[in-house]
């Protein structure tokens, strides 16, 4: 497969993941779109095959991190969030032999941005700790 085609596939994969991960979060969708486009435009004139392969590898890693580590949460009251995990996050945990989130045996630690007082969807990176209890 040609390098140009690999770059285009990587670009499209990042945008598809962005649409899924940041669903209903217009601010995050716009920011991710701008960042993806900016990075690809910045490097569009690079002709070094080695550099291009390295950037493709990095883009694939970013796509994986977004897909596997970002969870949406919505403010529903003072100091209260409702987590909205995607089905793929829940089913992926089961494939890896981890306990199901549906059983209530999951502790989740969040680090919210300073301006997290707004209402509406909020996308945050989370660390899921699965206990065997």
């Amino acid at each position: 497969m040609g390098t140009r085609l690999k770059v285009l596939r990587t670009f499209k994969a990042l945008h598809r993941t962005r649409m899924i991960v940041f669903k209903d979060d217009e601010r995050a969708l716009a920011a991710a779109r701008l960042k993806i486009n900016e990075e690809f435009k910045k490097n569009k004139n690079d002709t070094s095959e080695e550099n291009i392969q390295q950037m493709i590898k990095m883009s694939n890693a970013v796509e994986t991190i977004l897909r596997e580590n970002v969870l949406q949460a919505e403010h529903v009251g003072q100091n209260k969030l409702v987590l909205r995990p995607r089905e793929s996050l829940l089913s992926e945990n089961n494939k890896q032999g981890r306990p199901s989130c549906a059983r209530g045996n999951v502790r989740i630690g969040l680090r919210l941005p300073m301006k997290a007082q707004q209402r509406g969807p909020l996308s945050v990176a989370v660390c899921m700790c699965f206990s065997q209890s």
Side-chain angles (χ1 to χ4, degrees):
M1 178 185 329
T3 303
R4 185 174 172 86
L5 186 57
K6 286 181 187 175
V7 170
L8 184 58
R9 282 189 179 176
T10 303
F11 180 78
K12 286 182 173 185
L14 277 167
H15 277 290
R16 277 193 298 274
T17 299
R18 168 187 72 89
M19 295 298 290
I20 293 167
V21 169
F22 300 123
K23 180 182 175 186
D24 298 330
D25 188 345
E26 294 302 323
R27 194 171 73 189
L29 282 166
R33 186 188 78 244
L34 288 173
K35 186 64 176 172
I36 292 166
N37 291 345
E38 174 187 312
E39 290 299 318
F40 275 81
K41 276 183 188 174
K42 181 172 71 175
N43 296 302
K44 78 176 186 177
N45 294 323
D46 197 337
T47 57
S48 166
E49 189 68 29
E50 186 179 317
N51 286 349
I52 292 170
Q53 291 305 321
Q54 210 171 9
M55 287 184 276
I56 288 173
K57 201 177 284 188
M58 181 184 290
S59 296
N60 289 333
V62 167
E63 191 270 336
T64 300
I65 289 169
L66 283 172
R67 188 172 17 89
E68 294 178 357
N69 296 308
V70 176
L71 177 70
Q72 284 188 319
E74 186 169 353
H75 283 275
V76 292
Q78 186 68 21
N79 297 324
K80 201 173 201 178
L81 295 171
V82 171
L83 300 177
R84 296 192 292 173
R86 293 179 307 286
E87 186 64 36
S88 62
L89 285 177
L90 300 176
S91 61
E92 186 63 32
N93 288 329
N94 287 332
K95 287 179 193 172
Q96 295 175 2
R98 294 178 178 158
S100 169
C101 291
R103 288 187 234 146
N105 54 2
V106 179
R107 293 186 316 258
I108 300 178
L110 303 179
R111 187 179 301 182
L112 296 174
M114 293 298 288
K115 294 184 178 182
Q117 302 305 318
Q118 68 187 24
R119 297 213 179 261
L122 173 69
S123 299
V124 294
V126 299
C127 172
M128 292 187 178
C129 305
F130 295 89
S131 63
Q132 294 293 342
S133 56

